[in-house]
Amino acid sequence: MVSTAGQPNNNVQEFVCRIMDLKTRKLSGRSDADDMKNATDAFRWLRNNSPRLDDAGKCQLLDSELIETCLWYCDTFFVNEPLSRSVLLQFLANFSVGHESAQRQIFGGFCGILRHFIVSSGDSKLLNNSMMLLYNLCLCDVNFRENILKDVNIVQQIMTHWTQDEIEYSKIFLDSIFSNSKDFLLVYTNLPDTSKDHLMDIISIWLDYYHEEVSLEVIVVIKNNFFINCAVEKITSHVVNVLAKASNIEKFNSEIKKHTTLLKKIMDLLVFVHKLAKDNDGSNNEFSRVKDLSALFDSEIQTHNRFWFKSDLIRLIANMCYNHQEHQNLMRTDNIIPILLECCSFDAKNPLMREWSLFALRNIMEGNLDNQNFVANIDSVGSIDTESSVTLTDTLKMASIKNSISDSDTMFI
């Protein structure tokens, strides 16, 4: 091995010459059994040392058709060697850092290959390194990034593989999408409906475990574009679930809680689905209640397109009414309280609906005498569903304990 001290440009040039000579040997039919190992070792050395190259050295290598040589190795010499391909891609990722010309040449030459690897490769290292190189190239060029984020196949693969520890760049890609509202909207707009739901499910998981990576602007886009400005019948359970979870997180709660327009849309939606459920009780309507407890463990129920939908709407109401008198009063004046009382019943499609309803009623009545009196004077037999009337006593008890709750207690769940 040649010493690298003090002369990185010359030594990198020497190793690039070595891989070009190995290519010549292969094309002339003079290749031997050691050439594959020697070529892989040469790319491994270049991977480790190319960050030490200066701009002049990188430009000199680009002028010597380095990228074309790398393409030949990737397409031909390393065709059955995923490890060697991975090392080569790692070299290109290091070589391209901070050099626009290198990035453009690599993207132009390797974009199709990287797409193919990401969509079709079964080798996790090759898949991760393909994502890594593509991610690094996208960092410095807006056009590259837009082209990649519009590619449905690539985005679907990123969404598929993020749970695999060895494909860490899938999660890194998602982190970057969830931190930028423009990128998120671009990705979401181009996906088919089933993949849109999948993306929402993933961001829901991010809110559970990685919410620091999710920007407030992304939640605002979801709130405005896919809920407030969306037709009632087109609002999905996945969107409602994301907003419900975001309403529990301090980083997003103030933006959601202050939005009275959002609350009114939630109220309209609750009225809409509650009426459909009552009018079609016992039928196969998508919002109708499933009263059988055992159905909660039925895979058909758990994968139902409205699973958790009503519970999450009520969860949003609970959090948006906490310590907010204007929102509390809307529950009374718009006759939402009787609906919440009727929701204090079991529905396998909406786990914890009863608990969220009681919690919402508690937040609606806390510090609000008008709402407490309204609930106290409801004729439980004539005004609400008889299946739910037994919960009226529980609700009044919740109102009676308001003075025992200190100001420091958190009522967001």
Side-chain angles (χ1 to χ4, degrees), residues 148-221:
I148 296 307
L149 296 182
K150 287 179 182 177
D151 190 312
V152 171
N153 291 327
I154 287 180
V155 172
Q156 286 174 330
Q157 289 302 309
I158 290 170
M159 290 162 57
T160 297
H161 293 293
W162 76 267
T163 57
Q164 296 176 246
D165 291 339
E166 63 271 28
I167 309 179
E168 63 177 341
Y169 268 87
S170 182
K171 182 180 180 300
I172 291 171
F173 245 117
L174 287 169
D175 282 343
S176 69
I177 292 169
F178 294 155
S179 66
N180 185 302
S181 58
K182 183 180 178 182
D183 286 351
F184 176 79
L185 192 56
L186 180 65
V187 167
Y188 187 91
T189 302
N190 284 282
L191 288 173
D193 287 346
T194 54
S195 293
K196 288 177 180 177
D197 291 343
H198 187 194
L199 186 66
M200 284 295 172
D201 288 340
I202 294 175
I203 200 170
S204 178
I205 295 170
W206 252 244
L207 291 175
D208 283 333
Y209 300 103
Y210 319 110
H211 66 261
E212 66 279 359
E213 305 294 341
V214 181
S215 75
L216 175 61
E217 290 73 24
V218 166
I219 298 300
V220 170
V221 164

Coordinates of all heavy atoms in Angstrom, one line a residue, residues 148-221:
I148 N -36.8 12.9 -7.5 CA -36.8 11.6 -6.7 C -38.1 11.5 -5.9 O -38.7 10.5 -5.9 CB -35.6 11.6 -5.8 CG1 -34.3 11.5 -6.6 CG2 -35.7 10.4 -4.8 CD1 -34.3 10.3 -7.6
L149 N -38.5 12.6 -5.3 CA -39.7 12.6 -4.5 C -41.0 12.4 -5.3 O -42.0 12.0 -4.8 CB -39.8 13.9 -3.6 CG -38.7 14.1 -2.6 CD1 -38.9 15.3 -1.8 CD2 -38.6 12.9 -1.7
K150 N -40.9 12.7 -6.6 CA -42.1 12.5 -7.5 C -42.1 11.0 -8.0 O -43.1 10.6 -8.5 CB -42.0 13.4 -8.7 CG -42.3 14.9 -8.4 CD -42.2 15.7 -9.7 CE -42.4 17.1 -9.5 NZ -42.2 17.9 -10.7
D151 N -41.0 10.3 -7.7 CA -41.0 8.9 -8.2 C -41.7 8.0 -7.3 O -41.2 7.7 -6.2 CB -39.5 8.5 -8.4 CG -39.3 7.2 -9.1 OD1 -40.0 6.2 -8.7 OD2 -38.5 7.1 -10.0
V152 N -42.9 7.6 -7.6 CA -43.7 6.8 -6.7 C -43.1 5.5 -6.3 O -43.1 5.1 -5.1 CB -45.1 6.5 -7.4 CG1 -45.9 5.5 -6.6 CG2 -45.9 7.8 -7.6
N153 N -42.4 4.8 -7.2 CA -41.8 3.5 -6.9 C -40.7 3.7 -5.8 O -40.6 2.9 -4.9 CB -41.2 2.9 -8.2 CG -42.3 2.4 -9.1 OD1 -43.3 2.0 -8.7 ND2 -42.0 2.5 -10.4
I154 N -39.9 4.7 -6.0 CA -38.8 4.9 -5.0 C -39.4 5.3 -3.6 O -39.0 4.7 -2.6 CB -37.8 6.1 -5.5 CG1 -37.0 5.6 -6.6 CG2 -37.0 6.6 -4.3 CD1 -36.0 6.6 -7.1
V155 N -40.4 6.2 -3.6 CA -41.0 6.6 -2.3 C -41.7 5.4 -1.7 O -41.6 5.2 -0.5 CB -42.0 7.7 -2.6 CG1 -42.7 8.0 -1.3 CG2 -41.2 9.0 -3.0
Q156 N -42.3 4.6 -2.5 CA -43.0 3.4 -1.9 C -42.0 2.4 -1.3 O -42.2 1.8 -0.2 CB -43.8 2.7 -2.9 CG -45.1 3.4 -3.3 CD -45.9 2.8 -4.4 OE1 -45.3 2.2 -5.3 NE2 -47.2 2.9 -4.4
Q157 N -40.8 2.3 -1.9 CA -39.8 1.4 -1.3 C -39.2 2.0 0.0 O -38.9 1.3 0.9 CB -38.6 1.2 -2.4 CG -39.0 0.3 -3.5 CD -39.5 -1.0 -3.1 OE1 -38.8 -1.7 -2.3 NE2 -40.6 -1.5 -3.5
I158 N -39.0 3.3 0.0 CA -38.6 4.0 1.2 C -39.6 3.8 2.3 O -39.2 3.5 3.5 CB -38.4 5.5 0.9 CG1 -37.2 5.8 0.0 CG2 -38.3 6.3 2.2 CD1 -37.1 7.2 -0.5
M159 N -40.9 3.8 2.0 CA -41.9 3.6 3.0 C -42.0 2.2 3.5 O -42.3 1.9 4.6 CB -43.3 4.1 2.4 CG -43.4 5.6 2.3 SD -44.7 6.0 1.1 CE -46.2 5.2 1.9
T160 N -41.6 1.3 2.6 CA -41.7 -0.2 2.9 C -40.5 -0.6 3.8 O -40.7 -1.4 4.7 CB -41.6 -1.0 1.6 OG1 -42.8 -0.7 0.8 CG2 -41.6 -2.5 1.9
H161 N -39.3 0.0 3.6 CA -38.1 -0.6 4.3 C -37.7 0.1 5.5 O -36.7 -0.2 6.1 CB -37.0 -0.6 3.3 CG -37.2 -1.6 2.1 ND1 -37.2 -2.9 2.3 CD2 -37.4 -1.3 0.8 CE1 -37.4 -3.5 1.1 NE2 -37.5 -2.6 0.2
W162 N -38.4 1.2 6.0 CA -37.9 2.0 7.1 C -37.8 1.2 8.4 O -37.0 1.6 9.2 CB -38.8 3.2 7.3 CG -40.1 3.0 7.9 CD1 -41.3 2.8 7.4 CD2 -40.3 3.0 9.3 NE1 -42.3 2.6 8.3 CE2 -41.7 2.8 9.5 CE3 -39.5 3.2 10.5 CZ2 -42.3 2.7 10.8 CZ3 -40.1 3.1 11.7 CH2 -41.5 2.9 11.9
T163 N -38.5 0.2 8.6 CA -38.5 -0.6 9.8 C -37.2 -1.5 9.9 O -36.9 -2.0 11.0 CB -39.7 -1.5 10.0 OG1 -39.9 -2.3 8.9 CG2 -41.0 -0.6 10.1
Q164 N -36.5 -1.7 8.8 CA -35.3 -2.6 8.8 C -34.1 -1.8 9.2 O -33.7 -0.8 8.6 CB -35.1 -3.1 7.4 CG -36.2 -4.0 6.9 CD -36.0 -4.5 5.5 OE1 -36.8 -4.2 4.6 NE2 -35.0 -5.3 5.3
D165 N -33.5 -2.2 10.3 CA -32.4 -1.5 10.9 C -31.2 -1.3 9.9 O -30.5 -0.3 9.9 CB -31.9 -2.2 12.2 CG -32.8 -2.1 13.3 OD1 -33.7 -1.2 13.3 OD2 -32.8 -2.9 14.2
E166 N -31.0 -2.3 9.1 CA -29.9 -2.3 8.2 C -30.1 -1.4 7.0 O -29.2 -1.1 6.2 CB -29.5 -3.7 7.7 CG -30.6 -4.4 6.8 CD -31.6 -5.2 7.7 OE1 -31.8 -4.8 8.9 OE2 -32.2 -6.2 7.2
I167 N -31.3 -0.9 6.8 CA -31.6 0.1 5.8 C -32.0 1.4 6.4 O -33.1 2.0 6.3 CB -32.8 -0.4 4.9 CG1 -32.5 -1.9 4.4 CG2 -32.9 0.5 3.6 CD1 -33.6 -2.5 3.5
E168 N -31.0 2.0 7.1 CA -31.2 3.2 7.9 C -31.5 4.4 7.0 O -32.2 5.3 7.5 CB -30.0 3.5 8.7 CG -28.7 3.8 7.9 CD -27.5 4.1 8.8 OE1 -27.7 4.5 9.9 OE2 -26.4 4.0 8.3
Y169 N -31.1 4.4 5.8 CA -31.3 5.6 5.0 C -32.8 5.7 4.5 O -33.2 6.8 4.1 CB -30.4 5.7 3.8 CG -29.2 6.5 4.1 CD1 -28.1 5.9 4.7 CD2 -29.1 7.8 3.9 CE1 -27.0 6.6 5.1 CE2 -28.0 8.6 4.3 CZ -27.0 8.0 4.9 OH -25.9 8.7 5.3
S170 N -33.6 4.6 4.7 CA -35.0 4.7 4.4 C -35.6 5.6 5.5 O -36.4 6.5 5.2 CB -35.6 3.3 4.5 OG -37.0 3.4 4.2
K171 N -35.2 5.4 6.8 CA -35.8 6.3 7.8 C -35.2 7.7 7.7 O -35.9 8.7 8.0 CB -35.4 5.7 9.2 CG -35.9 6.5 10.4 CD -35.6 5.9 11.7 CE -36.1 6.8 12.8 NZ -35.6 8.2 12.9
I172 N -33.9 7.9 7.3 CA -33.4 9.2 7.2 C -34.1 10.0 6.1 O -34.4 11.2 6.2 CB -31.9 9.1 6.8 CG1 -31.1 8.6 8.1 CG2 -31.3 10.4 6.4 CD1 -29.6 8.2 7.8
F173 N -34.5 9.3 5.0 CA -35.2 9.9 3.9 C -36.6 10.4 4.5 O -37.0 11.5 4.2 CB -35.5 8.9 2.8 CG -34.9 9.3 1.5 CD1 -33.9 8.5 0.9 CD2 -35.2 10.4 0.8 CE1 -33.3 8.8 -0.3 CE2 -34.7 10.8 -0.4 CZ -33.7 10.0 -1.0
L174 N -37.3 9.5 5.3 CA -38.6 9.9 5.8 C -38.4 11.1 6.8 O -39.3 12.0 6.8 CB -39.2 8.7 6.5 CG -39.7 7.6 5.5 CD1 -40.1 6.4 6.3 CD2 -40.9 8.1 4.8
D175 N -37.4 11.0 7.6 CA -37.1 12.2 8.5 C -37.1 13.5 7.7 O -37.7 14.5 8.1 CB -35.8 12.0 9.3 CG -35.9 11.0 10.4 OD1 -37.0 10.7 10.9 OD2 -34.8 10.6 10.9
S176 N -36.4 13.5 6.6 CA -36.2 14.7 5.8 C -37.6 15.1 5.2 O -37.8 16.3 5.1 CB -35.2 14.5 4.7 OG -35.6 13.6 3.7
I177 N -38.4 14.2 4.8 CA -39.7 14.5 4.2 C -40.6 15.0 5.3 O -41.3 16.0 5.0 CB -40.3 13.2 3.6 CG1 -39.5 12.8 2.3 CG2 -41.8 13.4 3.2 CD1 -39.8 11.4 1.8
F178 N -40.6 14.5 6.5 CA -41.5 14.9 7.5 C -41.0 16.2 8.1 O -41.8 16.8 8.9 CB -41.6 13.9 8.6 CG -42.3 12.6 8.1 CD1 -42.1 11.4 8.8 CD2 -43.2 12.6 7.1 CE1 -42.7 10.2 8.3 CE2 -43.8 11.5 6.6 CZ -43.6 10.3 7.3
S179 N -39.8 16.7 7.8 CA -39.4 17.9 8.4 C -39.5 19.1 7.4 O -39.2 20.2 7.7 CB -37.9 17.8 8.8 OG -37.1 17.6 7.6
N180 N -40.1 18.8 6.2 CA -40.2 19.9 5.2 C -41.6 19.8 4.6 O -41.9 18.8 3.9 CB -39.1 19.7 4.1 CG -39.1 20.8 3.1 OD1 -40.1 21.0 2.4 ND2 -37.9 21.4 2.9
S181 N -42.4 20.8 4.8 CA -43.8 20.7 4.3 C -43.9 20.7 2.8 O -44.8 20.0 2.2 CB -44.6 21.9 4.9 OG -44.0 23.1 4.4
K182 N -43.0 21.4 2.1 CA -43.0 21.3 0.6 C -42.7 19.9 0.1 O -43.4 19.4 -0.8 CB -42.0 22.3 0.0 CG -42.0 22.4 -1.5 CD -41.0 23.4 -2.0 CE -41.0 23.4 -3.5 NZ -40.0 24.3 -4.1
D183 N -41.7 19.3 0.7 CA -41.4 17.9 0.3 C -42.5 16.9 0.6 O -42.9 16.1 -0.2 CB -40.1 17.4 1.0 CG -38.8 18.1 0.4 OD1 -38.9 18.7 -0.6 OD2 -37.8 17.9 1.0
F184 N -43.1 17.1 1.8 CA -44.2 16.2 2.2 C -45.4 16.4 1.3 O -45.9 15.3 0.9 CB -44.6 16.6 3.7 CG -45.8 15.8 4.1 CD1 -45.6 14.5 4.6 CD2 -47.1 16.3 4.1 CE1 -46.7 13.7 5.0 CE2 -48.2 15.6 4.5 CZ -48.0 14.3 5.0
L185 N -45.7 17.6 0.9 CA -46.9 17.8 0.1 C -46.6 17.2 -1.3 O -47.5 16.6 -2.0 CB -47.2 19.3 0.0 CG -48.5 19.7 -0.7 CD1 -49.7 19.0 0.0 CD2 -48.7 21.2 -0.6
L186 N -45.4 17.4 -1.8 CA -45.0 16.8 -3.1 C -45.1 15.3 -3.1 O -45.7 14.7 -4.1 CB -43.5 17.2 -3.5 CG -43.0 16.8 -4.8 CD1 -43.7 17.4 -5.9 CD2 -41.5 17.1 -4.9
V187 N -44.6 14.7 -2.1 CA -44.7 13.2 -2.0 C -46.1 12.8 -1.9 O -46.6 11.9 -2.7 CB -43.9 12.7 -0.8 CG1 -44.2 11.3 -0.5 CG2 -42.4 12.9 -1.0
Y188 N -46.9 13.4 -1.0 CA -48.3 12.9 -0.8 C -49.1 13.1 -2.0 O -49.9 12.2 -2.4 CB -48.9 13.8 0.4 CG -50.2 13.3 0.8 CD1 -50.4 12.4 1.8 CD2 -51.4 13.8 0.2 CE1 -51.6 12.0 2.3 CE2 -52.6 13.4 0.6 CZ -52.8 12.5 1.6 OH -54.0 12.1 2.0
T189 N -49.0 14.2 -2.7 CA -49.8 14.5 -3.9 C -49.6 13.5 -5.0 O -50.6 13.1 -5.7 CB -49.4 15.9 -4.4 OG1 -49.7 16.9 -3.4 CG2 -50.3 16.3 -5.6
N190 N -48.4 12.9 -5.1 CA -48.1 12.0 -6.2 C -48.4 10.6 -5.9 O -48.4 9.7 -6.8 CB -46.6 12.2 -6.7 CG -46.4 13.4 -7.5 OD1 -46.7 13.5 -8.7 ND2 -45.9 14.5 -6.8
L191 N -48.7 10.2 -4.7 CA -48.9 8.9 -4.3 C -50.3 8.4 -4.6 O -51.3 9.2 -4.5 CB -48.6 8.7 -2.8 CG -47.2 8.7 -2.3 CD1 -47.2 8.7 -0.8 CD2 -46.4 7.6 -2.9
P192 N -50.5 7.1 -4.9 CA -51.9 6.6 -5.0 C -52.6 6.6 -3.6 O -51.9 6.7 -2.6 CB -51.7 5.2 -5.6 CG -50.3 4.8 -5.2 CD -49.5 6.1 -5.2
D193 N -53.9 6.5 -3.6 CA -54.6 6.6 -2.3 C -54.1 5.6 -1.2 O -54.0 6.0 -0.1 CB -56.1 6.4 -2.5 CG -56.7 7.6 -3.3 OD1 -56.1 8.7 -3.3 OD2 -57.9 7.5 -3.8
T194 N -53.9 4.4 -1.6 CA -53.5 3.4 -0.6 C -52.1 3.8 0.0 O -51.9 3.6 1.2 CB -53.4 2.0 -1.1 OG1 -52.6 2.0 -2.3 CG2 -54.8 1.5 -1.5
S195 N -51.2 4.3 -0.8 CA -49.9 4.7 -0.3 C -50.0 6.0 0.5 O -49.2 6.2 1.4 CB -48.9 4.9 -1.5 OG -48.7 3.7 -2.1
K196 N -51.0 6.9 0.1 CA -51.2 8.1 1.0 C -51.6 7.7 2.4 O -51.1 8.2 3.4 CB -52.3 8.9 0.3 CG -51.9 9.7 -0.9 CD -53.1 10.4 -1.5 CE -52.6 11.2 -2.8 NZ -53.7 11.9 -3.4
D197 N -52.5 6.7 2.5 CA -52.9 6.2 3.8 C -51.7 5.6 4.5 O -51.5 5.8 5.8 CB -53.9 5.1 3.7 CG -55.3 5.7 3.2 OD1 -55.5 6.9 3.3 OD2 -56.1 4.9 2.7
H198 N -50.8 4.9 3.8 CA -49.6 4.3 4.4 C -48.7 5.4 4.9 O -48.1 5.3 6.0 CB -48.9 3.4 3.4 CG -47.7 2.7 3.9 ND1 -46.8 2.0 3.1 CD2 -47.3 2.4 5.2 CE1 -45.9 1.5 3.9 NE2 -46.2 1.7 5.1
L199 N -48.5 6.5 4.1 CA -47.7 7.6 4.6 C -48.2 8.2 5.8 O -47.4 8.6 6.8 CB -47.6 8.6 3.5 CG -46.6 9.8 3.7 CD1 -45.2 9.3 3.7 CD2 -46.7 10.8 2.6
M200 N -49.5 8.4 5.9 CA -50.1 8.9 7.1 C -49.9 8.0 8.3 O -49.7 8.4 9.5 CB -51.6 9.2 6.9 CG -51.9 10.4 6.1 SD -51.4 11.9 6.9 CE -51.6 13.1 5.6
D201 N -50.0 6.7 8.1 CA -49.8 5.7 9.2 C -48.3 5.8 9.7 O -48.1 5.7 10.9 CB -50.0 4.3 8.7 CG -51.5 4.0 8.5 OD1 -52.3 4.7 9.1 OD2 -51.8 3.0 7.8
I202 N -47.4 6.1 8.8 CA -46.0 6.2 9.2 C -45.8 7.5 10.0 O -45.1 7.5 11.0 CB -45.1 6.2 7.9 CG1 -45.1 4.8 7.3 CG2 -43.6 6.5 8.3 CD1 -44.3 4.7 5.9
I203 N -46.4 8.6 9.5 CA -46.2 9.8 10.3 C -46.9 9.7 11.6 O -46.4 10.3 12.6 CB -46.7 11.1 9.5 CG1 -46.1 12.3 10.0 CG2 -48.2 11.2 9.5 CD1 -46.3 13.6 9.2
S204 N -47.9 8.9 11.7 CA -48.6 8.7 13.0 C -47.6 8.0 14.0 O -47.5 8.3 15.2 CB -49.8 7.8 12.8 OG -50.4 7.5 14.0
I205 N -46.8 7.0 13.4 CA -45.8 6.4 14.2 C -44.7 7.4 14.6 O -44.2 7.4 15.8 CB -45.2 5.2 13.5 CG1 -46.3 4.1 13.3 CG2 -44.0 4.6 14.2 CD1 -45.9 3.0 12.3
W206 N -44.3 8.2 13.7 CA -43.3 9.3 14.0 C -43.8 10.2 15.2 O -43.0 10.5 16.0 CB -43.1 10.2 12.8 CG -41.7 9.9 12.1 CD1 -40.7 10.8 12.0 CD2 -41.3 8.7 11.5 NE1 -39.7 10.3 11.3 CE2 -40.0 9.0 11.0 CE3 -41.8 7.5 11.3 CZ2 -39.2 8.0 10.3 CZ3 -41.0 6.5 10.6 CH2 -39.8 6.8 10.1
L207 N -45.1 10.5 15.2 CA -45.6 11.3 16.3 C -45.5 10.5 17.6 O -45.4 11.2 18.7 CB -47.0 11.7 16.0 CG -47.2 12.7 14.9 CD1 -48.7 12.9 14.6 CD2 -46.5 14.0 15.1
D208 N -45.5 9.2 17.6 CA -45.4 8.4 18.8 C -43.9 8.4 19.3 O -43.7 8.5 20.5 CB -45.9 7.0 18.6 CG -47.4 6.9 18.6 OD1 -48.1 7.7 19.2 OD2 -47.9 5.9 17.9
Y209 N -43.0 8.3 18.4 CA -41.6 8.0 18.8 C -40.6 9.0 18.3 O -39.5 9.1 18.9 CB -41.2 6.6 18.2 CG -42.1 5.5 18.7 CD1 -43.1 4.9 17.9 CD2 -42.0 5.0 20.0 CE1 -43.9 3.9 18.3 CE2 -42.8 3.9 20.5 CZ -43.7 3.4 19.6 OH -44.5 2.4 20.1
Y210 N -40.9 9.7 17.2 CA -39.8 10.6 16.7 C -40.5 12.0 16.4 O -40.1 12.6 15.3 CB -39.2 10.1 15.4 CG -39.0 8.6 15.4 CD1 -39.7 7.7 14.6 CD2 -37.9 8.1 16.1 CE1 -39.4 6.3 14.6 CE2 -37.7 6.7 16.1 CZ -38.4 5.8 15.3 OH -38.2 4.5 15.3
H211 N -41.4 12.5 17.2 CA -42.1 13.7 16.8 C -41.2 14.9 16.7 O -41.6 15.9 16.1 CB -43.2 14.0 17.8 CG -42.7 14.3 19.2 ND1 -42.7 13.4 20.2 CD2 -42.3 15.5 19.8 CE1 -42.3 14.0 21.3 NE2 -42.0 15.2 21.1
E212 N -40.0 14.8 17.3 CA -39.1 16.0 17.1 C -38.6 16.1 15.7 O -38.2 17.2 15.3 CB -37.8 15.8 18.0 CG -36.9 14.7 17.7 CD -37.4 13.3 18.3 OE1 -38.5 13.3 18.9 OE2 -36.7 12.3 18.0
E213 N -38.7 15.1 14.9 CA -38.4 15.1 13.5 C -39.5 15.7 12.6 O -39.3 15.9 11.4 CB -38.0 13.7 12.9 CG -36.9 13.0 13.7 CD -35.5 13.7 13.7 OE1 -35.4 14.5 12.7 OE2 -34.7 13.5 14.5
V214 N -40.7 15.8 13.1 CA -41.8 16.3 12.3 C -42.0 17.8 12.5 O -42.1 18.2 13.7 CB -43.1 15.5 12.8 CG1 -44.3 16.0 11.9 CG2 -43.0 14.0 12.7
S215 N -42.0 18.5 11.4 CA -42.1 19.9 11.6 C -43.6 20.4 11.8 O -44.5 19.7 11.4 CB -41.6 20.6 10.3 OG -42.5 20.5 9.2
L216 N -43.7 21.5 12.5 CA -45.1 22.1 12.7 C -45.7 22.4 11.3 O -47.0 22.2 11.2 CB -45.0 23.4 13.5 CG -46.2 24.2 13.7 CD1 -47.3 23.3 14.5 CD2 -45.9 25.5 14.5
E217 N -45.0 22.8 10.3 CA -45.5 23.1 9.0 C -46.2 21.9 8.4 O -47.1 22.1 7.6 CB -44.4 23.7 8.1 CG -43.9 25.1 8.5 CD -43.1 25.1 9.8 OE1 -42.5 24.0 10.1 OE2 -43.0 26.1 10.5
V218 N -45.6 20.7 8.6 CA -46.2 19.5 8.0 C -47.5 19.3 8.6 O -48.5 18.9 7.9 CB -45.2 18.3 8.2 CG1 -46.0 17.0 7.9 CG2 -44.0 18.5 7.2
I219 N -47.6 19.4 9.9 CA -48.9 19.2 10.6 C -49.9 20.3 10.1 O -51.1 19.9 9.9 CB -48.8 19.3 12.1 CG1 -47.8 18.2 12.6 CG2 -50.1 19.2 12.8 CD1 -48.3 16.8 12.3
V220 N -49.5 21.5 9.9 CA -50.4 22.5 9.4 C -50.9 22.2 8.0 O -52.1 22.3 7.7 CB -49.7 23.9 9.4 CG1 -50.5 24.9 8.6 CG2 -49.4 24.4 10.8
V221 N -50.0 21.6 7.1 CA -50.4 21.2 5.8 C -51.5 20.1 5.9 O -52.5 20.1 5.2 CB -49.2 20.7 5.0 CG1 -49.7 19.9 3.8 CG2 -48.4 21.8 4.5

